[in-house]
């Protein structure tokens, strides 16, 4: 911190790394943690020195303790500009095969590589256009090989976290939506997992249902539900109640008001009811079913109400009665 302040006032010193930092590397493992954790700050002071250290560490074996602790520090750094992502690329590749990182560290690795997919051209295909392997594809494709299937779950969770974030502007906390390109990439990922579902299921095995429950939360990014999106959601529907995801899912369904989407929502909700009976946030469920009555398929709405009633859950009694009355008045 002191060196940064000096550099900003008097300019960057020559060979700062050799004269000021090298001595710490000789004393203990902590200096390798700092090298990773404060990589951007250290590169500001002496880019040549830091890049040379990264090149040396890149040649270390995956079980080398100095490399591992450097990567752990780096993975918990706050910022990830493209030039640094590219600089660390080979170390990411090596980290994906590391079985010694604990889950908390490995999940940070997943976040970094998800950023690589969203912002830095890591494709969903095995290879990039230049023939280089895609870290994002490798991370997911080899999850079972390294017994890290949770990488898929963390990916879905991370993408969901990207659907909105709190930012501070003009001294006021505001919610900021992702830009269209990020939204497009997240939905492309969802479409890809649906189209490749047998392959994904083979990788995830018993975790596949939990993944589908997690990925369903990306419904918040949809502009409408057409036949294609309905297929995605019908596949997810049996697992939406896992980990109490139905609360978020139903809340997101309320954003839709067009008749085509609401007709599909009736079908999707019936599929959910084959496996669970959501009850939390009754007002949202009531609003959704009332819309299905008015804009969707009347028969679907009737079946939903009947299912709740037969299961001894009467939160839709008023919705049912109100729509029966309206129907009779229209007939009269």
């Amino acid at each position: 911190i002191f060196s940064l302040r000096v550099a900003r006032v008097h300019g960057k010193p020559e060979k700062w790394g050799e004269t000021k930092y090298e001595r710490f590397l000789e004393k203990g493992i902590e200096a390798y943690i700092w090298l990773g954790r404060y990589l951007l700050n250290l590169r500001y002071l002496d880019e040549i020195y830091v890049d040379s250290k990264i090149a040396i560490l890149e040649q270390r074996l995956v079980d080398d303790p100095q490399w591992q602790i450097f990567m752990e520090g780096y993975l918990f750094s706050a910022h990830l500009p493209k030039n640094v992502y590219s600089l660390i690329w080979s170390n990411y590749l090596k980290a994906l095969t590391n079985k010694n990182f604990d889950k908390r560290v490995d999940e940070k690795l997943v976040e970094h590589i998800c950023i690589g997919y969203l912002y830095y051209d890591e494709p969903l295909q095995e290879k990039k256009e230049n023939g280089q392997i895609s870290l994002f594809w490798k991370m997911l494709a080899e999850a079972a090989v390294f017994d890290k299937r949770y990488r898929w779950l963390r990916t879905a969770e991370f993408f969901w976290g990207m659907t909105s974030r709190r930012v501070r502007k003009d001294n006021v906390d505001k919610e900021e939506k992702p830009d269209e390109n990020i939204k497009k990439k997240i939905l492309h990922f969802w479409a890809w997992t649906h189209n490749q579902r047998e392959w994904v299921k083979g990788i995830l095995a018993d975790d596949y249902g939990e993944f589908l429950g997690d990925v369903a939360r990306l419904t918040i990014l949809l502009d409408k539900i057409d036949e294609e999106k309905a297929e995605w959601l019908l596949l997810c529907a049996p697992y939406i109640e896992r980990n109490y995801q139905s609360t978020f899912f139903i809340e997101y369904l309320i954003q839709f008001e067009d008749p085509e989407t609401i007709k599909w929502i009736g079908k999707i909700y019936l599929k959910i009811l084959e496996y669970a009976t959501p009850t939390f946030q009754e007002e949202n469920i009531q609003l959704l079913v009332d819309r299905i009555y008015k804009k969707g398929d009347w028969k679907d709405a009737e079946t939903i109400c009947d299912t709740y009633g037969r299961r001894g859950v009467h939160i839709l009694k008023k919705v049912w009665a109100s729509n029966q009355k309206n129907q009779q008045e229209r007939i009269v």
Side-chain angles (χ1 to χ4, degrees):
I1 293 172
F2 177 75
S3 293
L4 285 170
R5 289 176 176 172
V6 171
R8 286 164 184 161
V9 173
H10 300 289
K12 300 177 186 180
E14 291 187 9
K15 297 185 177 180
W16 179 88
E18 292 180 17
T19 59
K20 298 295 185 182
Y21 199 80
E22 186 68 24
R23 53 187 171 148
F24 295 119
L25 293 175
E26 299 169 356
K27 291 182 180 294
I29 201 76
E30 290 89 347
Y32 288 91
I33 300 175
W34 300 338
L35 180 62
R37 179 65 181 82
Y38 299 106
L39 188 70
L40 293 181
N41 306 93
L42 297 174
R43 286 188 86 237
Y44 173 81
L45 290 167
D46 195 335
E47 184 174 314
I48 294 174
Y49 172 81
V50 171
D51 289 2
S52 69
K53 291 300 178 185
I54 293 172
I56 292 171
L57 288 167
E58 186 178 304
Q59 303 305 314
R60 303 284 182 86
L61 296 175
V62 72
D63 59 353
D64 180 272
Q66 292 178 343
W67 175 81
Q68 287 190 41
I69 207 71
F70 159 74
M71 282 302 294
E72 287 192 22
Y74 168 71
L75 289 170
F76 280 89
S77 58
H79 302 288
L80 187 56
K82 187 173 184 178
N83 63 330
V84 173
Y85 181 88
S86 300
L87 183 67
I88 299 291
W89 192 91
S90 295
N91 288 288
Y92 285 134
L93 182 62
K94 187 162 55 176
L96 286 174
T97 67
N98 188 306
K99 294 184 177 182
N100 296 320
F101 289 147
D102 65 30
K103 185 178 179 181
R104 185 173 62 100
V105 175
D106 196 74
E107 286 184 338
K108 296 300 291 186
L109 173 63
V110 172
E111 292 177 16
H112 278 235
I113 294 177
C114 284
I115 290 172
Y117 167 69
L118 294 177
Y119 294 96
Y120 304 145
D121 304 319
E122 293 287 351
L124 279 168
Q125 296 76 35
E126 182 177 1
K127 300 283 187 179
K128 300 180 182 180
E129 292 182 0
N130 62 5
Q132 190 181 55
I133 194 166
S134 165
L135 295 179
F136 189 69
W137 183 90
K138 181 179 177 66
M139 175 182 75
L140 298 175
E142 298 182 1
V145 174
F146 297 102
D147 195 24
K148 294 183 177 182
R149 294 175 179 86
Y150 60 80
R151 286 175 172 174
W152 284 81
L153 307 180
R154 182 64 191 125
T155 297
E157 183 180 28
F158 182 77
F159 285 167
W160 177 59
M162 294 292 290
T163 60
S164 65
R165 60 193 181 96
R166 303 299 296 182
V167 295
R168 191 161 183 81
K169 292 183 177 180
D170 303 322
N171 293 321
V172 177
D173 286 327
K174 297 181 180 180
E175 188 175 87
E176 185 176 87
K177 300 294 183 181
D179 65 40
E180 283 301 312
N181 187 50
I182 298 306
K183 176 180 173 180
K184 182 178 178 180
K185 284 201 167 186
I186 293 174
L187 291 177
H188 181 53
F189 166 78
W190 192 358
W192 176 74
T193 64
H194 181 81
N195 294 335
Q196 302 291 330
R197 55 190 175 277
E198 292 304 321
W199 178 70
V200 176
K201 188 175 182 179
I203 294 172
L204 292 179
D206 293 341
D207 293 327
Y208 184 57
E210 186 173 353
F211 170 74
L212 289 176
D214 285 348
V215 82
R217 292 183 295 181
L218 299 178
T219 300
I220 192 174
L221 292 175
L222 299 179
D223 296 320
K224 64 179 296 183
I225 299 176
D226 54 20
E227 185 174 359
E228 179 191 24
K229 308 304 188 302
E231 287 182 3
W232 302 357
L233 292 169
L234 285 167
L235 183 65
C236 296
Y239 309 98
I240 283 171
E241 187 68 341
R242 289 195 181 187
N243 299 325
Y244 310 103
Q245 307 288 20
S246 63
T247 302
F248 294 105
F249 184 64
I250 293 169
E251 180 182 331
Y252 300 154
L253 291 179
I254 289 173
Q255 70 181 317
F256 304 111
E257 296 190 44
D258 63 288
E260 181 188 1
T261 294
I262 293 173
K263 285 181 180 180
W264 283 115
I265 288 175
K267 311 298 182 189
I268 294 162
Y269 207 96
L270 286 172
K271 179 61 70 173
I272 295 173
L273 289 176
E274 291 180 21
Y275 299 87
T277 312
T279 57
F280 189 66
Q281 292 190 335
E282 297 179 10
E283 65 279 6
N284 287 342
I285 298 172
Q286 292 163 351
L287 174 59
L288 197 62
V289 175
D290 191 54
R291 282 185 182 167
I292 297 171
Y293 266 117
K294 291 179 169 59
K295 296 185 179 182
D297 189 312
W298 179 277
K299 185 178 178 180
D300 288 344
E302 288 280 277
T303 305
I304 293 169
C305 289
D306 182 60
T307 302
Y308 271 90
R310 285 187 291 103
R311 294 176 184 176
V313 182
H314 302 295
I315 62 175
L316 293 175
K317 186 175 181 179
K318 290 183 178 179
V319 173
W320 176 85
S322 173
N323 282 281
Q324 296 301 316
K325 181 180 178 181
N326 291 338
Q327 180 74 350
Q328 291 173 2
E329 290 175 351
R330 282 196 294 268
I331 293 173
V332 172

